[in-house]
Amino acid sequence: MKKAVFNLEPLGCPTCVKKIENTLEKMEGIEEIKVLFHSNRVRTQFDESKVQAEDIENTLTKLGYPVVSKKVS
Amino acid sequence: MNARRTSQITAITGALLLIAIGLHLGGLHEWRQGTLIISTVIAGTPIAIKAFQAIRMKTFSIELLVTIAVVGALFIGEYVESAAVTFLFLFGAYLEVRTLEKTRSSLRSLIDMAPVEATVLRDGETMTISVDDVEEGDRVIVRSGEKVAIDGEIISGKATLNESAITGESVPVTKTKNDRVFSSSILENGFIEVLADRVGDDTTFARIIELIEDAQETKSKTQKFLDRFANIYTPAIVVMSILVYLFTRNIEMTLTFLVVACPGALVISAPVSIVAGIGNGARNGALIKGGEIMESLGKIDTVVFDKTGTLTRGRPEVTDIHTFSRKENDLLRVVAEAEMISEHHLGQTIVREAKRRNLILVNEPQNAEVIEGNGIRADIEGQTLVIGNRKLMRTNGIAISNEVEAYAVEREKSGNTAIFAAIDGTIAGIISIVDQIRPEATSALQELRANGIKQIIMLTGDNRHTAELVGKQLDFDAVYAELLPEDKVAMVQKLKNAGHRVAMAGDGINDAPAIATADIGLAMGEGGTDISMETADVVLMADRLDQFSHAYSLAKATVRNMRQNTFFAVGTVVILLAGVLLGKVFLASGMLIHELSVLLVILNAVRLMRYNNKNGKKETATPILQTE
């Protein structure tokens, strides 16, 4: 199990939080998601055999939330 | 939609509106109308998309109301209104995100304090690596001007460190071999080599950030209420708009009603205050874990303090060893050998004193038993030692002569804790230990009273005399001594049953049950011990009591700010709606006032970030319990 924190550009509204949560929840291998509205961050825990941090980053970018920086541990 | 895209679309539609004004002045009416429609479509599309997304997530949003109003305005040919409303809405949203950034900035500045790289010594080689690649057990070198990248113990060197990222305390501290250092401290002067024992997300700093982030996302009761209210309010407004249309048959008034009734400022009024308040607390070393806790903290009227480690420094020292039968060092050695198993700070103080005197502690205690809140019993070199308070002596059938009692009382009255040491059923000596009152305690308690705390009570396991002395010095309303952890719980419960809203402050270990029982549990963080950080509602990162008085007045200010915001948001909507029904407020002007109200609510919250409790004065005098 890996952890990744993605720093995003400022999130505009709580709907953005739900949108990100709903989309990531559907991705296979993602075990935990926390979208932090006030710090513009997404904390995730995922199964690296099923999904990679890059896949999550791409999904976020496609959704319209480009990743400014990320930390995978 | 992110802030950058919002600003781009706002700029384009703003330019289109300017062109439309030019075309209007040039008399090109058809072109003007076309430009306005294009502007409406460009600005309106992202708003409509957001409205659709919100519906899909089963929430009614302000975007939905704006979309209905804009479609209506286009339908009746009010192109100026539709273009102005969409532009103003996007511009407002952009300003909102930018202004919100201010309330988020306190957290952002904390996150930015995290170190990026570290210098480690591996296989005799010094290398600079990313902080994510540092492993437990690595030897990390920190030089002047660098940040500590891990938590660990200094194995060599000496340095002055600024630990404000962790504790909120900006006065540098000097640390040397065997001292602990924390990630994100800045080394101001010197050189140290640290053995990493916590890295990455396990460091104290990373956990503080996570706790603050979670705290900011935790909703307050007011916030939860407003969220529920907004969900009912928005569809209610749609219904009311239909009623307005049925009564007035005025589509323009109906659309204006729809837009100005948007609950934007109302929805944001509570969270922005909470986020700004939590940010301020974090910067000042008080970690308040969430909106609901902020609200409860602002309502407390009674504060219960534990003495040792909370009101006192928690670094006790042996001041005197009085023996009745044997040599001082001999008694100290056997008592220290027995206390080796004790985790109690008084026991550890005795062990420390023995080590300071270079006494060799070789004998392992046999049949050792810790009697919680009273002391310990153990066999050393075939002798049975009973070490602790009077109660322990009594329960073990050890007689306390008048001479011993008189000496103990005399020590206690001068502020010491008298530890009775009995060997084979006879009192062999008394070890006096003193713990200094924290220098800021007097002023912090005065501030708490000035800010509205009705009563301050001390509950301690320590003896009556010392407790009374400390209580008198700090002007407590009541002092209860010689209590066990369960007695403290019962006292807190009793206060709660009497209708008081109680905060319990302790050092987070033996006080944990009472802390959990109180309405608000407050722990001294000591640079972030696990138990205190996880269990308490409020953690004082630098162990300073003035951080508590700041947190309390901050909580009150935050609740006040939240009420101001809610009042202002509701007031604006009521006045605007009245203006609409009286025909004084129109679609674009209504939207402008509405957006301004959102900004004002945020700016009011931003004031909290600079909040500083002015009631209290810093105390320079250091009241210390005298040992003689």
Side-chain angles (χ1 to χ4, degrees):
Chain A
M1 200 66 69
K2 279 210 163 195
K3 278 184 189 172
V5 180
F6 301 92
N7 289 305
L8 309 177
E9 284 186 5
L11 295 171
C13 64
T15 315
C16 300
V17 175
K18 281 198 171 177
K19 195 168 139 191
I20 296 171
E21 275 173 355
N22 288 358
T23 311
L24 294 189
E25 263 169 20
K26 287 176 196 150
M27 286 180 78
E28 200 195 353
I30 295 199
E31 303 288 332
E32 242 182 76
I33 316 151
K34 204 159 204 178
V35 184
L36 301 150
F37 177 67
H38 297 105
S39 47
N40 311 311
R41 306 218 289 180
V42 178
R43 283 207 299 252
T44 56
Q45 210 168 348
F46 58 93
D47 182 346
E48 56 190 310
S49 65
K50 292 179 181 162
V51 69
Q52 297 298 313
E54 286 69 30
D55 303 328
I56 305 171
E57 184 176 348
N58 289 339
T59 308
L60 286 167
T61 308
K62 272 187 208 159
L63 268 184
Y65 304 100
V67 174
V68 179
S69 63
K70 68 170 186 280
K71 192 179 158 197
V72 185
S73 56
Chain B
M1 188 166 51
N2 61 44
R4 195 191 299 165
R5 205 178 302 166
T6 309
S7 71
Q8 284 166 351
I9 297 175
T10 311
I12 293 167
T13 49
L16 285 171
L17 283 181
L18 286 176
I19 293 169
I21 293 170
L23 292 169
H24 174 74
L25 294 175
L28 298 164
H29 184 72
E30 293 297 318
W31 284 86
R32 183 197 79 158
Q33 298 296 71
T35 310
L36 288 172
I37 293 170
I38 293 169
S39 174
T40 305
V41 171
I42 292 175
T45 307
I47 301 172
I49 291 172
K50 272 183 109 173
F52 176 67
Q53 283 170 342
I55 290 174
R56 272 184 58 193
M57 281 151 203
K58 292 175 187 131
T59 49
F60 284 97
S61 66
I62 179 168
E63 283 82 5
L64 178 67
L65 297 183
V66 173
T67 308
I68 297 171
V70 169
V71 170
L74 283 175
F75 187 69
I76 58 171
E78 287 287 348
Y79 304 132
V80 176
E81 295 279 18
S82 66
V85 164
T86 47
F87 167 75
L88 283 172
F89 183 78
L90 278 190
F91 187 56
Y94 170 73
L95 288 180
E96 195 179 314
V97 171
R98 282 276 164 250
T99 327
L100 263 180
E101 266 305 283
K102 280 192 184 295
T103 60
R104 291 162 164 172
S105 67
S106 54
L107 182 60
R108 174 60 45 193
S109 60
L110 263 180
I111 294 170
D112 290 344
M113 280 185 190
V116 180
E117 49 188 30
T119 308
V120 297
L121 201 64
R122 280 183 188 165
D123 307 322
E125 258 184 74
T126 308
M127 55 183 94
T128 302
I129 57 172
S130 161
V131 73
D132 299 331
D133 298 328
V134 183
E135 290 168 7
E136 268 183 52
D138 267 337
R139 287 162 69 184
V140 180
I141 289 165
V142 197
R143 300 184 182 89
S144 284
E146 289 180 350
K147 276 180 194 164
V148 180
I150 39 75
D151 285 4
E153 206 166 270
I154 299 177
I155 46 177
S156 71
K158 186 179 176 183
T160 320
L161 293 133
N162 182 335
E163 296 187 326
S164 60
I166 308 281
T167 62
E169 173 66 76
S170 56
V171 179
V173 285
T174 303
K175 296 203 169 182
T176 186
K177 200 177 168 190
N178 298 333
D179 286 336
R180 277 192 72 73
V181 290
F182 301 101
S183 168
S184 298
S185 309
I186 300 166
L187 196 142
E188 292 195 340
N189 222 317
F191 169 91
I192 48 172
E193 195 180 328
V194 185
L195 189 67
D197 57 26
R198 277 181 176 178
V199 297
D201 289 342
D202 294 329
T203 62
T204 302
F205 182 75
R207 282 171 27 241
I208 290 173
I209 293 290
E210 211 171 301
L211 284 172
I212 299 173
E213 280 183 338
D214 289 343
Q216 293 198 333
E217 304 298 328
T218 314
K219 290 183 174 179
S220 67
K221 277 183 188 159
T222 313
Q223 222 167 316
K224 284 177 193 159
F225 169 75
L226 289 177
D227 283 357
R228 279 201 305 273
F229 178 69
N231 268 339
I232 304 162
Y233 178 83
T234 314
I237 286 299
V238 176
V239 173
M240 279 165 73
S241 301
I242 295 167
L243 288 176
V244 169
Y245 179 71
L246 291 176
F247 279 107
T248 63
R249 297 282 164 183
N250 183 340
I251 186 88
E252 208 175 321
M253 182 186 276
T254 308
L255 295 176
T256 311
F257 185 91
L258 202 61
V259 167
V260 300
C262 290
L266 191 62
V267 169
I268 209 163
S269 59
V272 280
S273 303
I274 296 284
V275 168
I278 289 173
N280 179 311
R283 244 188 10 263
N284 287 288
L287 209 160
I288 303 164
K289 293 193 199 160
E292 200 160 338
I293 287 163
M294 186 73 94
E295 282 185 320
S296 305
L297 178 62
K299 286 178 191 159
I300 57 165
D301 56 23
T302 301
V303 184
V304 177
F305 283 100
D306 160 54
K307 183 179 77 70
T308 313
T310 308
L311 293 165
T312 60
R313 285 175 187 270
R315 288 198 297 269
E317 287 164 19
V318 172
T319 55
D320 184 66
I321 301 170
H322 189 84
T323 59
F324 299 106
S325 59
R326 55 177 71 198
K327 282 183 183 164
E328 194 176 304
N329 277 355
D330 187 31
L331 177 71
L332 178 61
R333 181 184 59 80
V334 284
V335 172
E337 282 173 340
E339 292 283 5
M340 290 286 275
I341 56 144
S342 168
E343 284 181 357
H344 196 275
H345 55 273
L346 292 178
Q348 287 171 354
T349 306
I350 293 171
V351 175
R352 212 166 41 239
E353 177 65 15
K355 284 182 178 168
R356 194 186 67 78
R357 294 186 185 196
N358 296 321
L359 303 180
I360 300 158
L361 311 176
V362 285
N363 297 307
E364 275 196 24
Q366 307 293 318
N367 307 320
E369 188 190 350
V370 175
I371 299 115
E372 204 180 346
N374 289 316
I376 65 164
R377 190 170 45 222
D379 294 341
I380 298 283
E381 293 175 324
Q383 310 168 98
T384 299
L385 272 79
V386 178
I387 307 154
N389 57 17
R390 283 180 187 79
K391 195 176 167 193
L392 186 67
M393 299 301 127
R394 272 199 299 273
T395 51
N396 281 271
I398 299 163
I400 299 174
S401 69
N402 289 343
E403 179 203 0
V404 172
E405 178 62 22
Y407 176 77
V409 169
E410 184 254 308
R411 299 302 297 158
E412 287 168 352
K413 281 189 172 166
S414 61
N416 291 273
T417 302
I419 312 283
F420 293 81
I423 299 177
D424 290 335
T426 311
I427 303 273
I430 288 177
I431 299 175
S432 303
I433 293 180
V434 79
D435 191 4
Q436 293 178 339
I437 293 181
R438 292 178 187 277
E440 76 284 2
T442 309
S443 60
L445 299 192
Q446 279 169 358
E447 268 180 45
L448 282 174
R449 284 192 199 277
N451 287 320
I453 293 294
K454 301 274 187 301
Q455 57 174 341
I456 303 180
I457 293 167
M458 186 206 290
L459 303 180
T460 178
D462 209 343
N463 72 78
R464 186 166 49 85
H465 302 293
T466 312
E468 278 171 3
L469 192 71
V470 175
K472 205 182 272 179
Q473 272 188 281
L474 294 177
D475 193 23
F476 273 86
D477 295 300
V479 172
Y480 298 92
E482 295 167 21
L483 302 179
L484 294 171
E486 55 264 37
D487 301 329
K488 291 184 181 180
V489 173
M491 282 300 300
V492 170
Q493 194 58 56
K494 204 172 145 190
L495 286 164
K496 278 177 74 177
N497 293 345
H500 297 291
R501 289 174 178 270
V502 186
M504 165 83 200
D507 61 3
I509 301 156
N510 59 341
D511 298 315
I515 285 176
T517 309
D519 294 305
I520 286 289
L522 182 129
M524 312 299 266
E526 290 174 16
T529 54
D530 287 344
I531 299 171
S532 60
M533 273 179 57
E534 300 304 331
T535 58
D537 300 313
V538 180
V539 184
L540 305 183
M541 301 310 297
D543 270 15
R544 289 180 59 99
L545 285 174
D546 47 3
Q547 289 176 332
F548 180 28
S549 59
H550 177 77
Y552 175 62
S553 54
L554 175 70
K556 287 185 105 172
T558 306
V559 172
R560 213 163 39 234
N561 195 285
M562 211 158 66
R563 282 194 191 134
Q564 286 164 357
N565 276 355
T566 311
F567 181 77
F568 182 73
V570 173
T572 309
V573 170
V574 169
I575 291 169
L576 278 177
L577 287 181
V580 172
L581 295 175
L582 294 171
K584 302 284 182 196
V585 175
F586 302 99
L587 195 53
S589 55
M591 175 55 82
L592 182 68
I593 297 168
H594 177 83
E595 289 300 337
L596 284 176
S597 74
V598 174
L599 289 183
L600 271 171
V601 159
I602 300 174
L603 288 172
N604 187 38
V606 168
R607 286 190 311 127
L608 272 178
M609 290 173 61
R610 285 191 297 274
Y611 176 80
N612 192 9
N613 176 30
K614 302 274 191 318
N615 290 337
K617 296 179 190 103
K618 286 265 182 287
E619 176 135 318
T620 47
T622 310
I624 292 172
L625 288 180
Q626 296 303 309
T627 56
E628 292 298 328

